[in-house]
Amino acid sequence: MIRPLIAGNWKMNGLEAWLEVIEAIGDGLNKQPDAADCLICPPFTMIAAAAKAADKTRLNIGAQDCHTVANGAHTGDISAEMIADAGGKYVIVGHSERRADHGESDATIAAKVEAAFRAGLTPIICVGETLSERESGETIAVISSQLAGSIPASAFGQHFVVAYEPVWAIGTGKVASVEQVEEVHDKIREILGERFPGQANETPILYGGSMKPSNAPELLAVGNVNGGLIGGASLKADDFLSIYAASVS
Ligand code: PGA
């Protein structure tokens, strides 16, 4: 049995006052069964304070990206080591917004995964097709090629997480159907099994894309869905805790 992970991606949202949301999520988790892992990835500026605010709770804090190297002349960048130093435990890599806005290639993402392992962080590696790719029947080919390019060979024996996030479902309110999610998650599990024999059944595969309290129960019940990567609905403690509740019920 894979322990589910309910992960929130705050994207470019969150000021100091939002530490109240971190505290509310941490407190809320204490009242729910300890049967899933829970994570919020706030912006870099909040990681240290959020990690302190969540300190005595089961809520983990992570980042939304990292650089490939540990330190050096890279103005404006943040390394995986810095995230770990600030109290982060996870890092999202290869989110479609980074692939699109920053031109991140699979090779760059694989190097970021290596950086996460080097710093002792758990990487959450995102893959997902665009609407035109889905409509032209390329979904499985796109996912297969992103997995092949974004997960380095050194992931063998390491703990990592994969997130399937159809680009057309992110922030749009459009959710992939249970059948669509099942098909892709089964395929991801199969690909991981071929590449990392003996390890595939330990890797959580998250669904992301407009997950909210109303659709979380059916999405989280799909075989090979081991949790969620949640954007909009992670900004409100009650909504996020409802999704967590669905993962442990
Ligand atoms: P959303 O975002 O839940 O707002 O669709 C998901 C994500 O981008 O991780």
Side-chain angles (χ1 to χ4, degrees), residues 9 11 95 97 165 169-171 209-211 229-232:
N9 172 11
K11 309 192 178 183
H95 190 281
E97 287 154 15
E165 298 204 304
I170 295 177
S210 300
M211 189 185 272
L229 182 54
I230 299 123

Side-chain angles (χ1 to χ4, degrees), residues 135-225:
E135 285 173 350
S136 50
E138 293 166 46
T139 298
I140 296 299
V142 167
I143 301 299
S144 307
S145 125
Q146 288 178 338
L147 288 173
S150 309
I151 308 182
S154 61
F156 192 62
Q158 298 270 9
H159 184 59
F160 63 93
V161 177
V162 172
Y164 168 54
E165 298 204 304
V167 178
W168 48 273
I170 295 177
T172 58
K174 282 187 198 148
V175 190
S177 69
V178 161
E179 293 72 29
Q180 289 170 328
V181 172
E182 189 165 39
E183 184 199 9
V184 176
H185 280 242
D186 287 355
K187 188 69 192 177
I188 294 173
R189 182 76 63 211
E190 184 190 315
I191 291 170
L192 291 175
E194 284 161 8
R195 183 117 183 261
F196 303 108
Q199 183 181 338
N201 292 331
E202 292 161 22
T203 302
I205 306 175
L206 314 184
Y207 168 77
S210 300
M211 189 185 272
K212 47 186 187 268
S214 58
N215 60 30
E218 68 169 3
L219 290 165
L220 293 169
V222 175
N224 283 321
V225 172

Side-chain angles (χ1 to χ4, degrees), residues 29-239:
L29 283 178
N30 286 340
K31 297 175 197 125
Q32 298 209 31
D34 181 1
D37 291 324
C38 193
L39 167 71
I40 290 285
C41 298
F44 288 129
T45 47
M46 287 188 71
I47 291 175
K52 273 207 186 85
D55 192 28
K56 302 247 163 0
T57 75
R58 291 197 294 107
L59 177 62
N60 287 301
I61 301 299
Q64 301 166 20
D65 179 47
C66 66
H67 197 272
T68 56
V69 305
N71 50 56
H74 300 283
T75 303
D77 280 315
I78 303 283
S79 71
E81 281 77 1
M82 291 169 176
I83 294 163
D85 187 53
K89 302 277 187 249
Y90 291 77
V91 60
I92 299 169
V93 292
H95 190 281
S96 62
E97 287 154 15
R98 299 235 26 120
R99 289 179 187 262
D101 297 353
H102 299 268
E104 290 192 8
S105 65
D106 287 333
T108 301
I109 293 157
K112 292 184 175 195
V113 173
E114 306 254 18
F117 293 146
R118 188 184 66 221
L121 301 177
T122 299
I124 300 175
I125 306 160
C126 302
V127 296
E129 82 288 2
T130 62
L131 187 57
S132 68
E133 288 164 344
R134 174 159 285 275
E135 285 173 350
S136 50
E138 293 166 46
T139 298
I140 296 299
V142 167
I143 301 299
S144 307
S145 125
Q146 288 178 338
L147 288 173
S150 309
I151 308 182
S154 61
F156 192 62
Q158 298 270 9
H159 184 59
F160 63 93
V161 177
V162 172
Y164 168 54
E165 298 204 304
V167 178
W168 48 273
I170 295 177
T172 58
K174 282 187 198 148
V175 190
S177 69
V178 161
E179 293 72 29
Q180 289 170 328
V181 172
E182 189 165 39
E183 184 199 9
V184 176
H185 280 242
D186 287 355
K187 188 69 192 177
I188 294 173
R189 182 76 63 211
E190 184 190 315
I191 291 170
L192 291 175
E194 284 161 8
R195 183 117 183 261
F196 303 108
Q199 183 181 338
N201 292 331
E202 292 161 22
T203 302
I205 306 175
L206 314 184
Y207 168 77
S210 300
M211 189 185 272
K212 47 186 187 268
S214 58
N215 60 30
E218 68 169 3
L219 290 165
L220 293 169
V222 175
N224 283 321
V225 172
N226 313 113
L229 182 54
I230 299 123
S234 70
L235 301 175
K236 289 201 184 116
D238 286 352
D239 286 355

